[in-house]
Amino acid sequence: MESSYKKLFENNKKWVAEMTQQDPNYFLDLAKGQTPEYLWIGCSDSRVPANEITGTKPGEMFVHRNIANMVVHNDLNLLSVLAYAVDVLKVKHIIVCGHYGCGGVEAAMGNKQFGLIDNWLRNIKEVYRTHTEELSAIDDRKERLRRFVELNVAEQVLDLGKTTIVQNAWQRDQPLHIHGWVYDIADGIVKDLGVTFRDADELPEVFRFNEPIAI
Ligand code: CO
């Protein structure tokens, strides 16, 4: 018990020594502030670490992770991260990255109860409902799960576009692209799903807002 925990402090000491040896000002420079160009919305799964996958260093990526990389419109945590990333940090790209073999998406595809988490997974079931025709036509369960993972990412990208935060950035001509990716745990490769939004014109009409209210 103790050794698995203490190992983390030992690792930290080694890391600090390594980084300082490479660049004596490494931590002093990072302490000055952050100007990341990317916001990452990924799964909490321990096998999908945002920085390692994308070769980005501390300071380069603002990160939000939850089970099954969801953009839930009343999740105050997600909305706060999104608002800070867009309004203050002015990130250029938001990436929703799902992954094949996602336990959350798989659980949402079945009918078993898991407890409190079922209330979170319900949001993913809504994606299934929206795409029932396509998904139920796939006989192979593994293939259906892979497609469900992809469609879930695409829906979360759309959900980002529906927010006033993203739309107001577009209204003020702030460059902001929102992307959907899938990561394959089995080979480490990231795939762009080609569901990028760059403008409110690409949204279904009912979700488009006019200019923000005057305060
Ligand atoms: Co997952």
Side-chain angles (χ1 to χ4, degrees), residues 22-35:
Q22 282 172 23
D23 176 4
N25 291 322
Y26 184 74
F27 293 104
L28 293 171
D29 287 342
L30 276 178
K32 287 175 191 160
Q34 59 170 338
T35 51

Side-chain angles (χ1 to χ4, degrees), residues 16 31-32 37 49 59 63 65-66 76 84 91-92 106-107 136 159 167 194:
V16 171
K32 287 175 191 160
E37 289 184 17
V63 172
R65 292 169 71 178
N66 61 39
L76 190 59
Y84 191 74
V91 297
K92 296 187 172 83
E106 185 169 18
S136 58
D159 283 337
Q167 289 197 37

Side-chain angles (χ1 to χ4, degrees), residues 42-212:
C43 185
S44 297
D45 193 303
S46 62
R47 299 164 296 177
V48 194
N51 288 111
E52 280 91 334
I53 290 173
T54 56
T56 47
K57 300 183 190 78
E60 293 183 343
M61 193 172 257
F62 206 57
V63 172
H64 178 82
R65 292 169 71 178
N66 61 39
I67 289 169
N69 41 268
M70 299 300 288
V71 176
V72 176
H73 71 93
N74 55 4
D75 175 0
L76 190 59
N77 187 352
L78 179 277
L79 292 174
S80 304
V81 169
L82 180 64
Y84 191 74
V86 172
D87 297 340
V88 182
L89 297 172
K90 301 204 164 21
V91 297
K92 296 187 172 83
H93 301 275
I94 304 175
I95 298 150
V96 178
C97 187
H99 66 101
Y100 295 122
C102 185
V105 177
E106 185 169 18
M109 204 164 81
N111 302 97
K112 195 180 162 200
Q113 272 202 37
F114 293 92
L116 179 132
I117 197 175
D118 294 317
N119 298 285
W120 183 256
L121 300 179
R122 206 212 74 174
N123 296 296
I124 316 173
K125 287 180 183 284
E126 296 291 350
V127 174
Y128 197 101
R129 189 170 68 104
T130 306
H131 297 277
T132 301
E133 206 179 330
E134 179 181 348
L135 288 169
S136 58
I138 305 170
D139 288 334
D140 185 76
R141 199 181 172 281
K142 271 189 182 168
E143 280 307 312
R144 198 188 327 140
L145 178 58
R146 284 174 78 87
R147 187 61 186 142
F148 190 15
V149 164
E150 294 174 356
L151 290 169
N152 185 49
V153 168
E155 287 293 333
Q156 305 321 303
V157 173
L158 178 58
D159 283 337
L160 279 174
K162 294 172 189 173
T163 64
T164 52
I165 299 163
V166 167
Q167 289 197 37
N168 288 345
W170 286 334
Q171 288 269 1
R172 56 181 184 257
D173 291 327
Q174 184 180 323
L176 180 64
H177 294 180
I178 48 182
H179 312 268
W181 294 1
V182 179
Y183 175 75
D184 196 335
I185 289 174
D187 62 15
I189 304 286
V190 158
K191 183 166 79 182
D192 190 337
L193 290 174
V195 293
T196 302
F197 283 85
R198 298 171 183 86
D199 199 282
D201 294 347
E202 296 170 88
L203 293 171
E205 205 265 337
V206 71
F207 292 114
R208 281 181 230 155
F209 290 112
N210 294 329
E211 60 277 2

